[in-house]
Amino acid sequence: GAVPGYTPDIVHAHDWQAGLTGAYLRQHFARHPALSQVPVVFTIHNLAFQGLFPQADFNLLGLPSKYLSSHGVEFHQQVSFMKAGLKYARRITTVSPTYAAEIATHEFGCGLDGVIRGRGADVSGILNGVDGGIWNPATDTGIASRYNEQDLSGKLRCKTALQAEMGLAPQPDAPLFGVVSRLTS
């Protein structure tokens, strides 16, 4: 491996960009049983982004031809890194239990719903979000002013402090949006 004598307990890969992780561990470390058997957890954030490449590019991956099959990374005569993640991970997680159920349907499975259903109990959703016990504006010491549902006055002080920190004009009536997301059409 990259660090002699080190074997990770688990590898956690996310989305198509890391979809080949399980296949590479299995294939390239076959002579190192500890590494080839490291469990991989593959998390899907958005199944629609599949990392599809021309089948002719398969030889660039350094994997034997047995991986280029309907039981491997082949997907409608293309190479799918997302499908590789689904096939070669020990467990598959999604960003919520609802999303895990949705992507197992024809409507939302982006053509991979059969693969997902075939994995059965290996697929689960873990709710992605903020822990309200930790990120609670009523007790948070890292914000400009505390507030709660009964008294929102501190929320305006927080907004004003954030506008000042970001170099924005202090405008109490201006909408302020924060989004943690991928930007896509």
Side-chain angles (χ1 to χ4, degrees):
V3 179
Y6 173 74
T7 302
D9 294 323
I10 192 167
V11 173
H12 190 180
H14 294 258
D15 283 329
W16 74 264
Q17 296 90 340
L20 291 173
T21 302
Y24 280 141
L25 281 172
R26 182 179 293 181
Q27 180 61 38
H28 293 296
F29 294 106
R31 285 182 257 155
H32 305 281
L35 286 172
S36 68
Q37 297 303 310
V38 170
V40 175
V41 173
F42 184 65
T43 297
I44 304 166
H45 296 266
N46 190 332
L47 190 64
F49 297 93
Q50 296 186 9
L52 296 174
F53 299 93
Q55 198 171 46
D57 289 346
F58 176 79
N59 66 333
L60 300 172
L61 301 179
L63 291 170
S65 60
K66 68 180 181 180
Y67 286 84
L68 186 61
S69 71
S70 61
H71 298 290
V73 303
E74 188 275 330
F75 183 69
H76 299 286
Q77 290 144 9
Q78 294 178 304
V79 172
S80 170
F81 285 21
M82 179 67 77
K83 185 179 176 193
L86 296 171
K87 296 297 281 187
Y88 298 106
R90 173 111 25 113
R91 291 294 309 257
I92 300 162
T93 62
T94 67
V95 295
S96 75
T98 303
Y99 192 57
E102 286 175 353
I103 63 173
T105 68
H106 180 70
E107 184 177 8
F108 297 107
C110 302
L112 292 168
D113 48 291
V115 175
I116 293 163
R117 284 191 306 275
R119 293 302 307 266
D122 292 339
V123 181
S124 60
I126 300 171
L127 188 58
N128 188 8
V130 174
D131 182 332
I134 296 171
W135 300 98
N136 181 347
T139 58
D140 193 342
T141 59
I143 58 178
S145 181
R146 293 186 192 138
Y147 59 93
N148 59 43
E149 292 174 11
Q150 290 75 38
D151 179 10
L152 294 175
S153 60
K155 191 171 184 179
L156 179 57
R157 289 191 287 279
C158 288
K159 179 180 178 179
T160 303
L162 180 61
Q163 287 172 326
E165 185 178 335
M166 296 287 117
L168 301 171
Q171 297 179 340
D173 294 333
L176 182 62
F177 298 96
V179 178
V180 178
S181 179
R182 144 190 309 122
L183 295 176
T184 180
S185 59

